[in-house]
Amino acid sequence: MPESLPTALEKPFTVGIGSCFYTKHDGGRAGQAYEALYGDEKLKPDIKFLAGDQVYVDIGLGLYPLNDEDCQDRIADDYAESWELLRSLLRRGGTWMLADDHEYWNNYPYLKKFEKNPYLLTLSLNDDFKQRWESAAKVGVEVVQQMQTIRTFNIGNDISFCVADLRSERSQQPDQGFVSEVSFEILISWVNTLTSAGVLVIPQPLIASEGNDNDANLPDWNQYGELLTAIQNGSHDIVVLTGDVHYGRVAQVQVGSSNNKLVEVITSPMSNLSELNGIAASGPDLSKRMFPLVDVPGIPRNKIKYLGKISTESRWWDLRYPVKRTTEHFMTVEFYREGGATNMKIHAWDARNPVKKTGLPKKITGFNIKPIILN
């Protein structure tokens, strides 16, 4: 890590960010596109964050219970396949990983009795199998992905990072939170003691509405309001880097009655779901106008500015993808100092189509966001 952020005349401190990797039709191209950035000294990332769903261990789960060893074998095979295809990415630079639901099962930790999802039916009907599967999945998260709930680091006095796994400790009771009380205290302490702009890396968007039976969102927990209150009462801007939702967008909004702005960068997916599972694909949601999207006492709503979005694709002749889908991509975010202020610049990269002459990934068409000054 550098001792301070570079100036505008130097190579910026660059972080990669990606999420949602389905192996079936990737062929290693997402990892190769990321690796290609290392061919340009000005573009190569220094570190990277993978914000969840690096593996889809729940797809193809099956309709019969597995013993302990079979659960471990199944999950290990899924990791091996993902890691082989992502090896070009994983072997370059430090990697901070977060878990989201598909590292366990869809909408984890929720599981309805008589689950309609055929992959999860047996889990919902057999509690012993559910416990075996969950234990094996936790091994993947904790041992393979080296997950910790809250991790923080600073680049000198210029910017502070917090990587928060808001999935693995999540309770099924909203009043108990999306992380444990101990972890939440650490997260709030990070917000309260910031002496510079903060970068919060999480597995789901903060600019979100309440979820439903199929997918719970962060506003479904009481801790959501407490987190927004801390950001409103803080002294600095917050950048959120996240994924999960199968579209990419960048949004900016003033938080409550403060002068603090929230800049949320969503990047998803690196590789789309396909065939029957491809119905989960989507395009960017720009319909929400005021933040917070839910009532939070003491937090007045402000207008959301959408700064950029990732393109979509729809090809009726490509039977692998039944609905309109977001272009497979990942992003890099550059941080540097200019005029005494911290600046950030966001780039979005096509994970499938390299530039023929240079081999670099193409920039996503129409995604061109001016540098953002952070307080």
Side-chain angles (χ1 to χ4, degrees):
M1 295 292 184
E3 295 182 359
S4 61
L5 287 180
T7 68
L9 299 177
E10 302 172 296
K11 179 195 176 299
F13 180 72
T14 303
V15 304
I17 173 75
S19 76
C20 304
F21 182 74
Y22 187 53
T23 60
K24 190 163 187 180
H25 296 296
D26 172 72
R29 286 176 293 177
Q32 291 163 9
Y34 183 91
E35 178 183 12
L37 293 179
Y38 282 77
D40 188 320
E41 184 65 29
K42 296 179 181 180
L43 297 177
K44 71 177 187 179
D46 296 286
I47 61 173
K48 58 185 172 295
F49 304 109
L50 295 181
D53 295 341
Q54 283 76 251
V55 291
Y56 283 81
V57 302
D58 57 335
I59 289 183
L61 183 55
L63 297 176
Y64 60 91
L66 305 174
N67 62 32
D68 287 341
E69 185 175 354
D70 286 340
C71 287
Q72 294 182 42
D73 286 346
R74 265 292 314 278
I75 291 171
D77 286 345
D78 288 335
Y79 270 90
E81 184 177 24
S82 288
W83 261 228
E84 180 180 4
L85 293 172
L86 286 173
R87 64 186 183 276
S88 298
L89 180 154
L90 292 173
R91 66 188 180 187
R92 284 174 170 80
T95 307
W96 282 256
M97 297 184 187
L98 293 175
D100 202 21
D101 53 343
H102 293 291
E103 267 87 0
Y104 299 96
W105 60 73
N106 186 59
N107 204 24
Y108 177 86
Y110 288 98
L111 191 63
K112 295 176 289 186
K113 286 293 184 183
F114 304 105
E115 176 69 53
K116 293 181 181 179
N117 185 331
Y119 297 144
L120 307 184
L121 179 61
T122 310
L123 284 183
S124 72
L125 298 178
N126 188 310
D127 287 340
D128 289 339
F129 178 33
K130 174 188 170 186
Q131 292 175 8
R132 292 197 298 272
W133 184 267
E134 185 174 11
S135 296
K138 283 185 177 294
V139 172
V141 168
E142 295 173 359
V143 178
V144 180
Q145 300 201 52
Q146 295 288 295
M147 205 76 65
Q148 300 173 41
T149 308
I150 307 289
R151 291 166 285 180
T152 62
F153 61 92
N154 300 329
I155 304 299
N157 297 316
D158 297 329
I159 198 161
S160 180
F161 290 81
C162 177
V163 187
D165 175 9
L166 306 186
R167 178 65 70 171
S168 297
E169 292 183 351
R170 186 173 295 191
S171 167
Q172 295 192 43
Q173 303 301 321
D175 59 348
Q176 294 181 17
F178 43 65
V179 289
S180 68
E181 291 185 8
V182 172
S183 297
F184 192 65
E185 287 178 5
I186 298 171
L187 174 58
I188 295 300
S189 176
W190 174 78
V191 175
N192 290 339
T193 58
L194 283 172
T195 58
S196 63
V199 179
L200 177 61
V201 190
I202 53 179
Q204 285 185 290
L206 208 57
I207 300 177
S209 56
E210 293 176 337
N212 52 45
D213 288 344
N214 295 318
D215 201 5
N217 293 332
L218 295 183
D220 294 320
W221 280 268
N222 291 347
Q223 288 177 343
Y224 180 79
E226 296 179 54
L227 177 57
L228 292 192
T229 300
I231 295 174
Q232 174 183 252
N233 296 340
S235 302
H236 294 278
D237 297 336
I238 296 289
V239 176
V240 170
L241 303 181
T242 187
D244 173 59
V245 289
H246 297 277
Y247 60 77
R249 76 172 189 214
V250 179
Q252 179 176 307
V253 66
Q254 178 182 329
V255 181
S257 58
S258 72
N259 291 320
N260 302 331
K261 62 177 174 287
L262 172 69
V263 181
E264 184 172 78
V265 180
I266 302 175
T267 173
S268 169
M270 289 190 291
S271 182
N272 268 301
L273 293 161
S274 61
E275 281 84 36
L276 180 61
N277 302 304
I279 60 174
S282 66
D285 182 0
L286 308 180
S287 63
K288 310 302 188 294
R289 297 301 177 190
M290 304 294 287
F291 175 81
L293 276 56
V294 298
D295 291 328
V296 178
I299 309 287
R301 291 179 173 177
N302 294 310
K303 186 176 180 180
I304 301 169
K305 298 178 182 178
Y306 293 110
L307 305 182
K309 62 181 181 179
I310 300 300
S311 58
T312 57
E313 300 179 55
S314 182
R315 299 172 181 170
W316 61 267
W317 63 88
D318 191 344
L319 300 180
R320 297 174 301 174
Y321 302 105
V323 299
K324 181 183 289 187
R325 71 189 195 280
T326 295
T327 302
E328 285 98 340
H329 69 283
F330 59 89
M331 296 187 188
T332 55
V333 184
E334 301 172 347
F335 297 97
Y336 57 94
R337 297 284 293 177
E338 185 174 35
T342 296
N343 286 246
M344 66 178 289
K345 175 67 175 172
I346 308 163
H347 301 279
W349 305 97
D350 191 318
R352 293 289 180 273
N353 299 296
V355 179
K356 291 183 179 179
K357 288 185 178 180
T358 64
L360 290 170
K362 289 181 180 178
K363 290 190 174 182
I364 295 293
T365 303
F367 188 92
N368 187 17
I369 301 174
K370 295 180 180 180
I372 300 169
I373 298 175
L374 301 175
N375 172 36

